[in-house]
Amino acid sequence: GTRSVDGELHEAEPGAAIFALKTGAPVVPVFVEGTRHVLGAGRRLHRGRVTVHFGDPFTLPRTMDRDEAGRALMAAIGRVRDGIG
């Protein structure tokens, strides 16, 4: 994945989805909160709090293509984000 500069979830990078589809390994959705405040524009570091939130592991059906799998991963990360608080 990558860091979002606007705090929104964007389209998934294909790596994790491809790996999960090829191996059948379970994936754990992870939402990292606070990085956009710690690593600012120009890659300057600032003091701040970064919190890592983990969702429940799940397995992607091998019948999915990589785009579907990427969307499923991002949806799972979104559910983790939405469950905070």
Side-chain angles (χ1 to χ4, degrees):
T2 188
R3 188 173 67 91
S4 168
V5 295
D6 62 6
E8 296 297 317
L9 296 179
H10 295 279
E11 188 174 324
E13 298 287 332
I18 292 169
F19 183 80
L21 289 170
K22 287 186 181 239
T23 64
V27 293
V28 178
V30 177
F31 179 73
V32 183
E33 180 180 26
T35 57
R36 65 191 179 117
H37 302 292
V38 174
L39 186 58
R43 301 280 189 211
R44 291 191 53 135
L45 290 174
H46 305 279
R47 288 186 184 258
R49 180 179 295 247
V50 174
T51 308
V52 181
H53 304 272
F54 296 91
D56 295 325
F58 68 99
T59 303
L60 293 166
R62 289 189 179 203
T63 56
M64 284 185 165
D65 66 30
R66 78 180 207 177
D67 293 332
E68 291 173 309
R71 286 190 295 274
L73 288 173
M74 293 310 292
I77 293 169
R79 288 190 295 277
V80 172
R81 177 200 58 197
D82 296 344
I84 298 170

